[in-house]
Amino acid sequence: MSAADVWARCGAVIYDPFLALAERRGMAARRRDLLARAEGRVLEIGAGTGLNVPHYPGHVEQLVLTEPELGMRKRLERRVERAGRDAQVVGAGAEQLPFEDDSFDHVVSTMVLCTVPEPRSAIAEIRRVLRPGGRLLFAEHLRAHEPRLARWQDRLEAPWRGFAFGCRCNQPTLDLLAEGGLQVEVHEHGRWHGMPPLVAPLAVGSASA
């Protein structure tokens, strides 16, 4: 087993404790408010350990959760079972989604696009699988608007990425969504409280093709 594989397994173990303070300080409420908009057939990319699972409304017709990392996926499956949700868990990365075109009414991405190795490919896949009129629901941290913090994000991007399992703290995710042909509507510009300043700038919103 490679060092990267070992660190990925460690990440699955420490992910929930690492985010616990941030969940208590507002992120769990943001998940609940964002996911209240989900309906019909819903796909979540990079579902991780399943922190979103308890917040999906009961009227969702079908819930599909993708997660490429095995350790995360096992924890996701256990959380789905504990929650009593009727959800399908699929081992797939966001860049190659194993679904037909126009398959979903909503796609969900929360703190995911920063870690996807090829975010532009993932955005193209999101557009492909969304039905006409469908929407992406997102909560993502961003490159800071404040010049001083943005400079620190640039300086520390490489060590942070190594520590945080591929997370790019300086990624301009809203710009990437727009470049990918999505019409972005930001519902909230805020702070990811309880997390390091490098990843504190946050946007919550939706986007459509």
Side-chain angles (χ1 to χ4, degrees):
M1 184 182 299
S2 69
D5 291 335
V6 172
W7 188 231
R9 289 195 176 187
C10 291
V13 173
I14 69 173
Y15 187 80
D16 284 5
F18 186 68
L19 266 61
L21 177 61
E23 293 298 305
R24 293 195 300 270
R25 295 187 63 184
M27 185 51 66
R30 282 191 174 106
R31 295 179 193 274
R32 181 195 64 230
D33 293 345
L34 178 69
L35 298 177
R37 301 168 179 264
E39 59 184 17
R41 296 193 70 211
V42 179
L43 169 68
E44 181 177 345
I45 61 170
T49 63
L51 290 175
N52 284 334
V53 168
H55 302 292
Y56 281 103
H59 61 253
V60 166
E61 177 184 331
Q62 181 182 15
L63 180 59
V64 181
L65 309 168
T66 65
E67 172 52 50
E69 203 283 311
L70 179 60
M72 291 279 197
R73 197 162 64 247
K74 288 180 177 179
R75 285 167 171 75
L76 172 61
E77 290 168 345
R78 290 198 290 269
R79 185 164 261 141
V80 167
E81 184 177 357
R82 289 197 304 270
R85 293 298 309 233
D86 182 14
Q88 179 185 3
V89 177
V90 178
E95 301 98 329
Q96 290 185 306
L97 297 171
F99 310 110
E100 295 182 357
D101 297 357
D102 306 332
S103 295
F104 295 96
D105 299 289
H106 286 99
V107 174
V108 173
S109 174
T110 59
M111 310 305 174
V112 172
L113 291 173
C114 59
T115 61
V116 174
E118 297 293 339
R120 288 179 175 84
S121 297
I123 292 166
E125 281 290 88
I126 289 169
R127 286 195 62 191
R128 182 182 66 78
V129 302
L130 275 174
R131 289 173 175 168
R135 298 189 72 84
L136 167 68
L137 304 176
F138 67 84
E140 299 282 353
H141 69 79
L142 311 167
R143 180 177 178 82
H145 289 296
E146 304 93 333
R148 185 170 180 271
L149 180 53
R151 287 194 295 270
W152 277 109
Q153 287 176 322
D154 291 340
R155 290 170 185 151
L156 297 177
E157 188 272 340
W160 175 260
R161 178 161 33 91
F163 165 75
F165 315 103
C167 170
R168 295 176 296 277
C169 60
N170 61 347
Q171 178 168 284
T173 299
L174 295 182
D175 293 340
L176 293 180
L177 291 173
E179 291 169 9
L182 293 173
Q183 302 296 317
V184 178
E185 179 181 347
V186 177
H187 307 148
E188 177 195 2
H189 278 291
R191 307 289 291 181
W192 194 6
H193 297 293
M195 292 294 286
L198 287 179
V199 292
L202 181 73
V204 181
S206 61
S208 60

